[in-house]
Amino acid sequence: MIEKKESLKEYKDRLDTALENDFLRTAMDNFAVAYRTSRRNAFSEMDVDAVIRDVAAVKADAVKNNEHLLDQFSKKAVENGIQVHMAETAKDANRIIAQIAEQTHSKKIVKSKSMTAEEIHLNQWLENEGIEVTETDLGEWIVQLRKEGPSHMVMPAIHLSRYQVADLFTDVTKVAQDAEIEKLVKVARRQLRKKYIEADMGITGANYVIAQTGTLGIATNEGNARLVSTLPRVHVALVGIDKLLPTIKEALTINRILPRNATGQAITSYVTWITGPSECKTAPEQKREMHIVFLDNGRKKMAQDPVFAQVLQCVRCGACANVCPVYRMVGGHQLGHIYIGAIGLITTYFFHGRQNAKHLVQNCTNCGACKAVCAGGIDLPKLIKEIHAKIQDEEGHPLKSLLLGKVLKNRKLFHTLLKTASIAQKPVTAGTPYLRHLPMIFSKEHNFRILPAITQKPFRDRFKTLYTPVKKPSCKIALFSGCVQDFVYPEQLEAAMKLFKQANVSVEFPFDQSCCGLPALMMGEKDAAKDVGLQNIKAFKKQGVDYIVTLCASCASHLKNHVPDLVKNYAPEDAAEFSEKVMVFSQFIRRIIGIDHIKPTTFPRKTAFHSPCHLCRGLGIANDPKKVIAQSGHDYIKTDEEETCCGFGGSFSANFPSVSKEILNKKLMDVENSGADLLVTECPGCVMQLRGGALKKNQKIDVRHISEIIQS
Amino acid sequence: MSEKKIISEFVEKASMVSAIVHGVTGMEDALEKTIQICREKLPCENLMPADSNSSGKKNLAAPNMDEFHYGKLQMLCEKHGITLIKEGVRNFPGGIDMGVTMMDYGIAETGTLVLNSDSEETRLATMLCETHVAIVDKAHIRKTALEMSDELNEMTVKPSSYTAFITGASRTADIERVLALGVHGPLELHIMLIEGD
């Protein structure tokens, strides 16, 4: 692996190249679709949330007791005749393994797949010592021969076609090879068998390290780890200290979930439990020489960190990549350094440094799909933002994010700027509600959607004329508008006001409310996000309302899930009270005022629903908007990608427009294929992205906020 | 869950991962079926012709069978011209036709077999063969791995132990996610379910 400083521009070029790779795109897309079904089937007989909670709890406990488990394991292993080594750094681990090779006169090594070995670049080190190292996992062997790293945690060569593999095997065997998968697999069987027999040493990783019995648990489909740990006379296992568990029970608990989450398999073909050193008839005294090298590489420090300790709950299933909309577009080499997917965006910083992490960490839409499937229960999107903020704190904040932070902190300045912008943009809107040509700050690559213009009269200036106080209200709410509806789509709020009136709801509009703060958090401006959070809490505190209603799922999710955490050292009680009251529009209709206030339309249309990430995953709301659509009289059509991110992700679409565009295309194609001509959603950001994309591509899809399709 | 249900779940789950499950009347029937499968299979493709002594005969390793049944198997092998191996599987690096092993447990939830593989011969017999025949007592099939963690603990607590879970044949989907069997180990797994004594 070549370690070099890559500029943001170079990183983006790499993304563009990947987006143009048709094979990669098709392979990634087929996988994303197939994975959804196989995962669902794999968990069909169990309560998936409950079993994942069990795994997360097991791992969290093990992280807490790590030191003790390491101690217990080491004692047991030494008792059993295993040599235990502790490597503080990657270099130490490499050095120790090279030394073992030297002492045992090992010139040829076979390896089974180990992400930990990838983490420390072990192969490179050993090869520099003149040792021949052969990967035996088929995918890993392929990428080794190509001098690449794996592009997925459990499917290392998923980015390659059979033709590329056939060409590679032709080079290796000097015999022309057909691009037939069955035959290519046989080539590997024949080529690698020799390597096992000749090898002096076998290196494996481990999925589970059991302290009570001093046992390693290794899961493989190919069975290569069994040969690697059986044929050579020396066995070295390289394991991160995060793999330690108390007993086999915990290992079995995880093993029930890991393969299901990784590939939708109930179990891998082989799970091997080695208490070692095992019988080896070619070794002195017929016992294999066995070493375990424990790798720290920053893990011990991480285990003590209140925020990042949960990173060690990762079981390396790779599911966070499987469901990631960005991974689906660009593949693993572009969405990871060594570790791939959401977890890679986090661990790269710790294991491979800021330089390799700083662009990568921004390539996240914050859709939360990873968090929803994580077997270790890790709050991946949150930690990605934490890393983003950490890097900016260390390196200095970029001007645009610094400015955004400063502006957002000052509500009056922010709103004045928006109002000024509505006048300044006139030459480019030509009197239409859209920006015909993009203003200078946006480059041409943002031109994949037609962006709306800023309204001349924001909702805050319209509220007083729209609302007449009600007597004996059914309930009291305060409206949280969010910036986009206030300044771009006030009509969405106006539509909602009609329903509130019909339902006799008392509505307050606190004028001191500001941006929810999510854009600041997305750009790594944690401090600004905290400040606006406090402002909003203060603005709504005086109102004495029953609920705080918003029509923006992103605002709702941020106010509910992030704000209390951001302000926990400043106003924990107020924040709890505030966030408790926050409700998103469809939820408020269905659970509080009732859907009966909605009159069915006489012109029903085929209607698809786009569930905003912050609605279905952020708030866990799936049914409320669909009940509202049903009551509206429109014909709801279920689409395959209903809960897939639209690619907006706030600043994400500004930072990575080419990726955002492709995610959006995928989404809109799915809607078009469903035959729907009306696409409803519940977040103005999603409306902006989806409507802009449909307009740009002249697709006959009318994109609406849910408030706009209901009649009261 | 009744024993019958557990067994039918085991059969269903094992079949899902392309294991071939045979109902047999007893151990002798199992051995006869084993020999039949061995006779019918294509001869082993020698992966390392330079290093293997090829007799032209098919070979079958049965490293962990009790003496009585090993004797029976030997008679069957002699009758049909098959070389039977009890030890030294390592001397066949290019592969053997068949490995036959007595399994310790079955796990219904996943169609998994559990095998004490402390002996190198057992490990190699199940990995260097093209066809693995696994014989398991119906009474030793458990519902889930978690429910038999005591038994598993007993197996793995022994120093120098090596315990294997085997579910279906050796498989890979590393090229274009297309499933292919037999990448390193067996290309086929047969399971013989016998009634306990």
Side-chain angles (χ1 to χ4, degrees):
Chain A
M1 196 83 345
I2 309 146
E3 299 278 339
K4 62 174 170 63
K5 278 192 184 176
E6 188 182 44
S7 71
L8 182 59
K9 165 86 174 53
E10 285 166 328
Y11 178 52
K12 286 187 185 187
D13 288 348
R14 203 146 59 81
L15 294 175
D16 289 346
T17 308
L19 289 170
E20 282 160 18
N21 180 340
D22 287 339
F23 173 79
L24 179 72
R25 293 289 300 275
T26 312
M28 290 293 117
D29 204 66
N30 289 343
F31 172 54
V33 173
Y35 172 73
R36 257 196 310 242
T37 314
S38 40
R39 183 179 189 268
R40 201 182 310 121
N41 292 342
F43 282 109
S44 63
E45 285 166 26
M46 46 182 96
D47 176 351
V48 53
D49 293 330
V51 291
I52 282 182
R53 267 199 305 276
D54 289 349
V55 170
V58 159
K59 285 296 285 186
D61 265 358
V63 173
K64 226 180 279 164
N65 298 322
N66 191 266
E67 230 170 296
H68 167 69
L69 293 174
L70 182 59
D71 215 42
Q72 191 188 1
F73 180 93
S74 303
K75 276 195 192 121
K76 191 78 205 172
V78 170
E79 233 176 78
N80 290 349
I82 300 169
Q83 301 180 49
V84 180
H85 311 259
M86 188 68 220
E88 204 178 308
T89 66
K91 258 190 192 160
D92 291 344
N94 285 326
R95 211 175 289 134
I96 291 166
I97 296 172
Q99 236 163 39
I100 299 170
E102 201 191 326
Q103 284 160 5
T104 56
H105 311 289
S106 298
K107 285 281 162 210
K108 292 185 177 183
I109 293 178
V110 280
K111 269 189 73 224
S112 68
K113 200 166 85 62
S114 152
M115 283 308 297
T116 313
E118 295 286 345
E119 176 186 326
I120 63 168
H121 304 302
L122 175 63
N123 290 4
Q124 206 179 41
W125 186 289
L126 293 174
E127 280 164 7
N128 286 344
E129 303 272 328
I131 297 167
E132 180 195 291
V133 186
T134 308
E135 293 286 350
T136 59
D137 172 86
L138 175 58
E140 198 73 15
W141 186 51
I142 292 169
V143 297
Q144 184 194 24
L145 291 171
R146 284 175 58 93
K147 301 190 170 32
E148 290 179 325
S151 73
H152 188 281
M153 220 104 85
V154 298
M155 289 164 289
I158 191 173
H159 59 293
L160 297 172
S161 73
R162 66 188 76 187
Y163 304 100
Q164 288 167 295
V165 177
D167 288 349
L168 180 72
F169 284 7
T170 300
D171 282 353
V172 171
T173 59
K174 313 276 183 248
V175 179
Q177 301 292 348
D178 293 342
E180 245 178 82
I181 291 172
E182 193 106 335
K183 286 188 184 165
L184 292 169
V185 170
K186 290 285 150 57
V187 172
R189 183 181 173 92
R190 183 175 281 271
Q191 293 290 323
L192 291 170
R193 182 65 62 88
K194 265 191 296 215
K195 300 290 180 188
Y196 289 119
I197 304 294
E198 291 167 3
D200 307 296
M201 179 196 281
I203 299 180
T204 69
N207 297 86
Y208 317 109
V209 179
I210 299 163
Q212 189 189 40
T213 51
T215 304
L216 301 178
I218 310 172
T220 76
N221 275 318
E222 299 182 2
N224 54 327
R226 298 182 78 211
L227 286 169
V228 165
S229 61
T230 295
L231 286 166
R233 61 191 158 81
V234 183
H235 175 199
V236 176
L238 169 69
V239 292
I241 53 168
D242 51 311
K243 298 288 173 63
L244 282 156
L245 296 167
T247 73
I248 197 164
K249 227 177 183 153
E250 287 78 18
L252 293 169
T253 303
I254 300 171
N255 198 53
R256 214 166 162 230
I257 307 311
L258 173 57
R260 287 185 163 89
N261 221 37
T263 55
Q265 277 178 282
I267 192 167
T268 52
S269 301
Y270 300 97
V271 185
T272 302
W273 308 97
I274 304 173
T275 307
S278 59
E279 182 187 57
C280 174
K281 292 198 164 168
T282 55
E285 290 171 43
Q286 306 214 338
K287 278 270 176 334
R288 193 180 328 281
E289 179 169 336
M290 187 173 173
H291 299 258
I292 291 176
V293 181
F294 277 109
L295 179 68
D296 177 350
N297 206 19
R299 287 165 171 82
K300 276 185 182 165
K301 199 175 152 207
M302 214 188 279
Q304 304 298 322
D305 190 298
V307 178
F308 292 105
Q310 55 170 313
V311 172
L312 300 176
Q313 287 167 220
C314 175
V315 299
R316 307 270 191 272
C317 66
C320 58
N322 300 355
V323 297
C324 171
V326 179
Y327 175 81
R328 182 174 175 180
M329 296 299 141
V330 301
H333 286 150
Q334 283 61 244
L335 199 71
H337 180 63
I338 299 295
Y339 290 104
I340 308 290
I343 193 73
L345 265 57
I346 299 162
T347 53
T348 299
Y349 173 85
F350 292 102
F351 298 147
H352 303 106
R354 194 164 67 207
Q355 207 43 250
N356 289 309
K358 66 179 190 182
H359 308 314
L360 195 59
V361 77
Q362 299 179 51
N363 202 356
C364 164
T365 70
N366 212 243
C367 75
C370 49
K371 181 182 172 185
V373 297
C374 177
I378 306 170
D379 191 347
L380 296 154
K382 183 187 163 201
L383 297 186
I384 289 170
K385 287 298 134 201
E386 291 282 350
I387 295 289
H388 188 178
K390 214 173 160 67
I391 291 175
Q392 289 196 172
D393 286 348
E394 289 167 2
E395 286 213 327
H397 293 226
L399 189 63
K400 74 175 172 189
S401 98
L402 204 63
L403 277 177
L404 176 97
K406 287 251 184 296
V407 169
L408 281 186
K409 280 185 185 184
N410 184 336
R411 183 197 63 80
K412 279 188 184 149
L413 171 66
F414 176 47
H415 287 162
T416 309
L417 279 176
L418 284 172
K419 282 178 189 171
T420 317
S422 85
I423 300 163
Q425 72 189 351
K426 265 188 188 155
V428 286
T429 61
T432 70
Y434 302 108
L435 288 171
R436 289 291 156 191
H437 308 286
L438 291 163
M440 50 286 170
I441 55 154
F442 290 114
S443 64
K444 216 174 141 197
E445 55 182 350
H446 294 270
N447 219 357
F448 63 92
R449 60 200 166 174
I450 294 173
L451 291 172
I454 293 174
T455 183
Q456 290 177 25
K457 196 172 180 187
F459 179 78
R460 56 178 58 238
D461 296 344
R462 303 181 189 201
F463 178 74
K464 276 187 183 141
T465 53
L466 287 170
Y467 178 67
T468 336
V470 291
K471 282 177 199 151
K472 293 192 185 163
S474 57
C475 67
K476 282 186 189 174
I477 67 166
L479 199 55
F480 186 90
S481 66
C483 319
V484 182
Q485 281 179 333
D486 196 354
F487 286 88
V488 181
Y489 297 129
E491 66 274 16
Q492 296 173 2
L493 290 162
E494 283 183 345
M497 290 298 288
K498 288 184 194 152
L499 182 72
F500 295 150
K501 189 172 182 178
Q502 161 72 26
N504 207 35
V505 175
S506 156
V507 185
E508 301 280 346
F509 186 86
F511 285 93
D512 283 344
Q513 64 178 287
S514 189
C515 170
C516 67
L518 180 63
L521 193 65
M522 279 296 288
M523 292 181 80
E525 295 296 327
K526 234 182 128 178
D527 200 43
K530 175 209 74 188
D531 278 6
V532 289
L534 287 169
Q535 274 175 42
N536 284 323
I537 292 169
K538 198 172 152 206
F540 281 80
K541 196 183 173 182
K542 325 167 211 167
Q543 307 297 333
V545 294
D546 306 320
Y547 308 103
I548 297 169
V549 176
T550 175
L551 275 69
C552 174
S554 297
C555 293
S557 151
H558 178 75
L559 297 175
K560 256 190 140 48
N561 302 329
H562 302 154
V563 169
D565 187 43
L566 284 164
V567 307
K568 62 174 183 267
N569 296 330
Y570 302 88
E573 278 143 29
D574 287 353
E577 199 190 326
F578 170 80
S579 65
E580 189 110 313
K581 287 182 181 173
V582 173
M583 267 202 173
V584 76
F585 187 57
S586 60
Q587 185 188 25
F588 175 69
I589 299 175
R590 179 159 175 234
R591 307 205 188 163
I592 308 300
I593 60 176
I595 55 172
D596 299 341
H597 293 287
I598 301 169
K599 291 193 192 88
T601 176
T602 41
F603 301 103
R605 296 166 71 180
K606 283 187 179 170
T607 305
F609 181 61
H610 162 64
S611 183
C613 303
H614 294 128
L615 186 76
C616 57
R617 287 177 290 272
L619 297 167
I621 293 175
N623 293 326
D624 295 340
K626 286 180 204 153
K627 295 281 177 197
V628 171
I629 293 172
Q631 181 70 15
S632 77
H634 290 292
D635 301 322
Y636 163 72
I637 298 174
K638 186 165 171 30
T639 49
D640 295 338
E641 308 284 348
E642 183 173 291
E643 295 192 346
T644 309
C645 179
C646 68
F648 181 61
S651 52
F652 168 79
S653 70
N655 287 339
F656 298 100
S658 57
V659 184
S660 173
K661 174 187 171 183
E662 295 303 317
I663 298 177
L664 172 62
N665 284 345
K666 184 92 231 161
K667 182 92 208 180
L668 289 170
M669 276 315 290
D670 180 52
V671 175
E672 193 173 291
N673 292 339
S674 76
D677 62 350
L678 179 62
L679 174 59
V680 174
T681 185
E682 198 171 354
C683 167
C686 301
V687 171
M688 194 187 289
Q689 173 90 343
L690 295 164
R691 189 185 287 169
L695 274 168
K696 182 76 191 177
K697 293 182 76 187
N698 281 320
Q699 281 170 303
K700 291 199 173 53
I701 302 169
D702 185 12
V703 181
R704 294 287 165 178
H705 189 279
I706 198 164
S707 68
E708 298 177 285
I709 63 150
I710 53 177
Q711 297 173 354
S712 45
Chain B
M1 205 186 267
S2 71
E3 193 189 328
K4 221 173 164 181
K5 248 183 151 174
I6 291 178
I7 290 164
S8 74
E9 188 185 355
F10 174 82
V11 173
E12 185 201 326
K13 293 292 158 67
S15 307
M16 273 167 69
V17 287
S18 60
I20 303 150
V21 186
H22 305 266
V24 287
T25 54
M27 201 47 201
E28 292 197 14
D29 189 22
L31 294 181
E32 269 167 32
K33 268 224 169 81
T34 300
I35 292 300
Q36 193 191 336
I37 296 166
C38 189
R39 289 177 63 205
E40 284 170 5
K41 83 179 277 294
L42 288 171
C44 176
E45 184 190 350
N46 191 342
L47 299 174
M48 297 183 67
D51 303 282
S52 295
N53 40 349
S54 173
S55 60
K57 277 168 46 171
K58 282 186 178 163
N59 41 36
L60 184 156
N64 77 343
M65 200 171 286
D66 63 87
E67 247 171 76
F68 176 74
H69 290 111
Y70 188 83
K72 293 252 172 197
L73 190 63
Q74 199 157 28
M75 270 159 45
L76 286 167
C77 283
E78 272 165 24
K79 187 173 157 197
H80 295 288
I82 298 168
T83 309
L84 182 62
I85 308 159
K86 193 168 180 95
E87 274 183 352
V89 184
R90 204 182 256 273
N91 301 325
F92 298 82
I96 53 175
D97 286 278
M98 186 173 269
V100 185
T101 53
M102 307 299 294
M103 309 309 272
D104 294 84
Y105 298 99
I107 303 169
E109 187 183 40
T110 47
T112 299
L113 300 156
V114 182
L115 175 63
N116 171 330
S117 310
D118 297 357
S119 135
E120 171 180 307
E121 304 295 352
T122 305
R123 255 173 283 152
L124 291 178
T126 58
M127 283 308 288
L128 297 183
C129 63
E130 287 190 344
T131 303
H132 178 199
V133 174
I135 303 172
V136 63
D137 188 336
K138 280 182 185 174
H140 290 177
I141 297 179
R142 303 281 186 265
K143 199 164 159 260
T144 67
L146 258 174
E147 280 180 24
M148 55 175 296
S149 53
D150 287 346
E151 287 96 323
L152 291 170
N153 198 46
E154 217 167 280
M155 291 176 83
T156 54
V157 74
K158 283 180 296 174
S160 295
S161 69
Y162 196 115
T163 308
F165 283 10
I166 300 174
T167 313
S170 160
R171 61 179 53 210
T172 185
D174 273 354
I175 306 175
E176 293 189 12
R177 291 176 38 252
V178 175
L179 181 70
L181 296 179
V183 56
H184 296 291
L187 290 83
E188 261 181 38
L189 172 67
H190 292 262
I191 302 174
M192 310 270 173
L193 290 179
I194 55 166
E195 300 279 354
D197 313 321

